Amino acid sequence: MGAFAYRYGVLHAESVSVNDIARAVGTPFYLYSTAALEAHYSAYAGAFAGQDAGVCYALKANSNLAVIRTFTRLGSGADVVSVGEMKRALAGGIPAERIVFSGVGKTREELREALEAKIHQINVESIPELEALSAVASSLGVVAPIAIRVNPDVDAKTHAKIATGKKENKFGIDYDQARDIYKLAASLPGIKPVSIAVHIGSQLTDLAPFRAAYERVAALLHQLRADGHDIQRLDLGGGLGITYKNEAPPDLADYAAMVRSITGNLGCRVTLEPGRSLVGNAGILVSRVIYVKQGLHRRFAIVDAAMNDLIRPSLYEAYHGIIPVAEPEAGAALEPFDVVGPVCESGDTFAVQRPLPPLADDDLVAFLSAGAYGAAMSSTYNTRPLIPEVLVNGDRFAVIRPRPTVEEMLAAERVPDWL
Ligand SMILES: *Cc1c(COP(=O)(O)O)cnc(C)c1O
């Protein structure tokens, strides 16, 4: 979290005081650091330097246009999971030939738009999708370069809701069916199998599941080549974890060395699709304590951010570090707080019995590691406007998504004339 640190007793993002931003935009808001985004991307590029490899940023982790643009400028491609995200990637300046389209339920309309945009590759996850793509491509008179996403039946050892590579998960095609489906794909008009794709889950903190999945992909590659397919690319997915609390995810250098050891002499171009590991620790969520409520049994810090702004704690029992924006005095005694939002759900709880320095009404707090799956998963539940996103660069900051007014939210709805 080098980009977010106390200076002169106040939390700063790079050279900008979080207090100053809070005064300018109001709370709550997301705050991202350009330096951190760039450092995380460069770490990938550096670790894979010398391999025939490229990064396609998984947009769903944080799809703000300014974040995309930051990665575009570093040469990133994009992994998208809807046509909406494809349009975002293009609007963010990512060239079509660097866009990969993943997802289990792409509609025919989405497939058509992807083919018309001439994106790099479509990762197919079922036989009906393959047949639909063949029909759409034929009707357009084009050939779709595809990967089949295989489900390697590997336990990613992560939270059940973000594990995607076990045979009971909805993702990908069963490993043991893959050869038959490549054969089918090659026989269909408008389809050219060029790659194998795999993505086994998110927030992986161990190399072993990656290694197991990639070894299965390499074995499949040999079989497919023996079957006469011309496969020259491998799409190895994302999923590398980050430190939220005390997790120790693998080093990028070790990850890259493992990839090289398995794919180095296969003659394939490798695509990595990191999301969380590029943006997670490049962002925080800043919120204000509305009230400290001292009950008979618990002390609650009721903050102005809620589960609709950051759903990870209620959805995944996820941990986010929480620190005051004003640096606590050295040796300040910690007291247990339940940190909760204002939404009418008991699940609107960020932390239970969390030891924190003394907090009072109006204090600012920062939720750490909030750059991934934060703003991107937010909603307007309880008619809470989407909160602003702010990007810092050195001593500058800019609002990269403003807070809508409630009036603007209401204006988007229609009451039928019979009411
Ligand atoms: C979500 C997703 C990713 C990114 O996962 P992270 O854990 O954020 O790195 C990559 N590839 C595919 C296909 C995905 O669905």
Side-chain angles (χ1 to χ4, degrees):
M1 292 294 287
F4 301 97
Y6 290 115
R7 297 168 70 174
Y8 322 110
V10 177
L11 186 64
H12 278 61
E14 303 187 31
S15 304
V16 186
S17 153
V18 172
N19 268 338
D20 292 349
I21 303 174
R23 209 169 294 125
V25 306
T27 57
F29 61 93
Y30 278 100
L31 180 55
Y32 311 129
S33 156
T34 301
L37 294 170
E38 291 177 345
H40 298 162
Y41 186 92
S42 302
Y44 262 92
F48 283 90
Q51 299 192 45
D52 187 8
V55 170
C56 282
Y57 167 54
L59 233 67
K60 72 177 186 287
N62 184 325
S63 49
N64 186 287
L65 282 175
V67 172
I68 299 171
R69 179 76 56 182
T70 303
F71 291 133
T72 303
R73 289 168 56 150
L74 300 171
S76 185
D79 172 72
V80 303
V81 293
S82 70
V83 151
E85 281 195 351
M86 180 188 83
K87 290 180 177 173
R88 272 187 182 278
L90 292 169
I94 296 186
E97 63 270 18
R98 293 209 195 118
I99 298 178
V100 174
F101 193 175
S102 306
V104 306
K106 303 175 210 77
T107 65
R108 286 170 178 75
E109 181 58 24
E110 287 184 304
L111 295 170
R112 187 179 61 73
E113 290 196 49
L115 290 173
E116 285 173 350
K118 299 190 169 54
I119 66 168
H120 182 62
Q121 181 175 305
I122 297 178
N123 293 355
V124 173
E125 301 209 18
S126 67
I127 295 174
E129 184 190 0
L130 189 59
E131 290 169 340
L133 181 61
S134 167
V136 175
S138 303
S139 75
L140 293 173
V142 300
V143 174
I146 67 148
I148 298 288
R149 175 170 174 181
V150 296
N151 182 322
D153 192 24
V154 167
D155 184 351
K157 303 226 160 47
T158 184
H159 190 280
K161 287 185 180 162
I162 48 175
T164 59
K166 287 283 288 172
K167 59 181 183 302
E168 58 271 27
N169 297 132
K170 68 180 176 182
F171 298 95
I173 277 175
D174 285 320
Y175 187 80
D176 294 333
Q177 288 186 313
R179 263 176 107 169
D180 287 346
I181 289 170
Y182 272 91
K183 195 169 162 200
L184 170 66
S187 75
L188 290 174
I191 299 282
K192 179 163 173 45
V194 295
S195 176
I196 309 171
V198 72
H199 172 72
I200 58 173
S202 198
Q203 185 54 17
L204 274 71
T205 53
D206 190 359
L207 274 189
F210 284 118
R211 185 181 295 115
Y214 298 167
E215 280 171 350
R216 301 207 84 185
V217 167
L220 178 61
L221 175 75
H222 291 303
Q223 295 174 343
L224 294 179
R225 283 182 171 164
D227 292 346
H229 301 284
D230 180 22
I231 308 283
Q232 302 198 22
R233 307 176 192 160
L234 297 176
D235 184 336
L236 299 182
L240 198 63
I242 62 169
T243 302
Y244 286 96
K245 188 179 186 185
N246 48 22
E247 305 90 335
D251 240 45
L252 270 173
D254 295 340
Y255 178 67
M258 181 272 289
V259 169
R260 182 198 289 274
S261 74
I262 295 173
T263 67
N265 50 24
L266 297 178
C268 280
R269 173 159 179 86
V270 165
T271 297
L272 291 317
E273 300 171 345
R276 186 190 310 273
S277 52
L278 291 182
V279 293
N281 273 327
I284 62 176
L285 166 62
V286 180
S287 181
R288 191 177 293 280
V289 176
I290 309 173
Y291 301 117
V292 172
K293 171 163 123 174
Q294 177 66 64
L296 290 178
H297 308 286
R298 290 282 174 97
R299 185 190 346 250
F300 295 96
I302 304 168
V303 298
D304 64 1
M307 63 189 285
N308 67 298
D309 306 311
L310 176 64
I311 203 173
R312 300 190 63 261
S314 33
L315 192 58
Y316 310 130
E317 291 104 35
Y319 176 98
H320 285 270
I322 303 174
I323 60 172
V325 168
E327 185 172 12
E329 281 171 35
L334 302 184
E335 306 161 3
F337 280 91
D338 283 15
V339 181
V340 302
V343 160
C344 303
E345 304 256 356
S346 293
D348 185 19
T349 297
F350 291 113
V352 176
Q353 296 290 286
R354 178 77 60 88
L356 292 174
L359 288 177
D361 297 5
D362 281 338
D363 283 356
L364 292 175
V365 293
F367 293 86
L368 307 181
S369 316
Y373 305 105
M377 293 181 96
S378 58
S379 78
T380 58
Y381 186 42
N382 280 207
T383 307
R384 295 169 47 86
L386 293 180
I387 67 176
E389 295 174 272
V390 178
L391 181 65
V392 164
N393 184 350
D395 56 7
R396 309 179 273 187
F397 72 90
V399 175
I400 56 174
R401 183 179 71 184
R403 189 192 316 274
T405 64
V406 172
E407 290 67 30
E408 285 164 342
M409 292 169 68
L410 298 188
E413 299 179 16
R414 298 289 178 272
V415 178
D417 58 10
W418 68 78
L419 283 175

